[in-house]
Amino acid sequence: MMEDAAKPTAMETLLATLDLEPIEVDIFRGRSPQVGWQRVFGGQVIGQALMAAQRTIETERFVHSLHAYFMRPGDPSVPIVYQVERIRDGSSFNTRRVVAIQHGKAIFALSCSFQIEEPGFDHQIEMPDVPTPEKLLGEQQIKEQYLAHAPPAVRKYWERERPIEIRPVSLTHYFSDRKLDPRQDVWVRATGPVPDNRLYQAAVLAYLSDMTLLDTSLYAHGTSIFDQSLQVASLDHSMWFHRPDKLTDWLLYTQDSPSASGARGLTRGSLFTRSGVLIASVAQEGLIRKKANE
């Protein structure tokens, strides 16, 4: 009797999720992993929409920026249809617009630009001086040392198998209501192999870029995304791809929130390789409001 096939890893599931089904010219279908989420993770929609756009671009042209708006929460129980519009194909740059549709309505829109690779001026900011990931608690250690007395929402977040492992430089935010400076440094890495393919590497990087950002805008207020009295959601997301990376090692995601007002919080992020190479910059504004009293 043959044994059941091994259950796919979280990273294998993510890669399958990013491998969209073409259903017409410039129209693709994406599915969501059934892991009990009430809504689709924003990073998944960004990654899938970027993958749809990339599949309409000729080879040797790669994404250098994207700008997206979240309009409705995604339903993980049904597929998402991605419609790509070819805005412009130039001699050096290509522009695409992607709309994600569910239940006959747009839930997300993405504009992205691609460029041929060419030489030019080169500089970058310095990576912050923080402890290496090996000096920080791993997820298993966090589970063993902290989760027994953590709130249910925190436990559920850390106990779920994820395609991206995170190691925050500080854990204070998760277990304290102390008001902190609105910045954080988080090491992140893929929990399994990412294909040696620039399209998948960009899509996985876009996926992980949506992790932990909203939380940074709550540091100054002594609360977190796990606070059940808050309504928290991504509103828009921008990303600039500076240099390619194969995602084979840890990346430092350093973040700061320069402002929160009008029930919105803004967070900026920089993604560095372990050796200090800046590979991407991110900016996101999110909804952070107190829920109306019942």
Side-chain angles (χ1 to χ4, degrees), residues 18-30 52 55-56 81-82:
L18 294 173
D19 187 18
L20 304 178
E21 175 192 359
I23 56 177
E24 238 314 339
V25 175
D26 296 346
I27 302 177
F28 303 85
R29 179 186 288 122
R55 289 186 170 174
T56 70
V81 173
Y82 294 92

Side-chain angles (χ1 to χ4, degrees), residues 225-243:
I225 58 172
F226 301 119
D227 185 342
Q228 299 299 304
S229 70
L230 295 180
Q231 182 182 3
V232 181
S234 302
L235 294 173
D236 61 22
H237 190 97
S238 295
M239 188 169 183
W240 297 265
F241 299 78
H242 307 307
R243 300 166 180 88

Side-chain angles (χ1 to χ4, degrees), residues 290-294:
K290 284 282 188 180
K291 294 178 181 176
N293 293 328
E294 298 292 338

Side-chain angles (χ1 to χ4, degrees), residues 110-179:
L110 170 83
S111 294
C112 50
S113 182
F114 300 80
Q115 182 189 9
I116 60 172
E117 294 193 292
E118 56 183 290
F121 296 111
D122 198 327
H123 80 273
Q124 66 161 80
I125 59 174
E126 292 293 320
M127 182 174 75
D129 184 13
V130 301
T132 61
E134 289 78 14
K135 295 180 179 179
L136 303 173
L137 292 179
E139 291 195 353
Q140 187 58 40
Q141 293 171 300
I142 293 173
K143 293 175 185 177
E144 294 172 353
Q145 296 186 29
Y146 290 97
L147 290 190
H149 306 290
V154 176
R155 287 203 307 273
K156 184 177 181 182
Y157 176 80
W158 283 100
E159 290 173 348
R160 178 186 296 127
E161 182 187 7
R162 295 190 299 265
I164 305 299
E165 180 180 358
I166 67 173
R167 288 192 185 180
V169 170
S170 172
L171 294 169
T172 303
H173 172 60
Y174 292 104
F175 306 104
S176 169
D177 59 2
R178 184 155 52 97
K179 294 182 179 181

Side-chain angles (χ1 to χ4, degrees), residues 13-20 44 47-48 51 55 200 203-204:
T13 299
L14 172 57
L15 295 176
T17 300
L18 294 173
D19 187 18
L20 304 178
Q44 175 194 314
Q48 287 182 324
M51 184 62 81
R55 289 186 170 174
Y200 278 95
V204 172

Side-chain angles (χ1 to χ4, degrees), residues 199-264:
L199 305 190
Y200 278 95
Q201 290 162 6
V204 172
L205 193 64
Y207 173 93
L208 69 81
S209 74
D210 192 37
M211 301 178 72
T212 72
L213 278 172
L214 276 176
D215 231 17
T216 307
S217 63
L218 296 170
Y219 267 48
H221 310 282
T223 186
S224 76
I225 58 172
F226 301 119
D227 185 342
Q228 299 299 304
S229 70
L230 295 180
Q231 182 182 3
V232 181
S234 302
L235 294 173
D236 61 22
H237 190 97
S238 295
M239 188 169 183
W240 297 265
F241 299 78
H242 307 307
R243 300 166 180 88
D245 185 71
K246 294 183 181 296
L247 308 182
T248 57
D249 195 6
W250 290 96
L251 302 173
L252 180 66
Y253 202 178
T254 183
Q255 306 166 17
D256 73 280
S257 177
S259 175
S261 65
R264 304 182 313 277

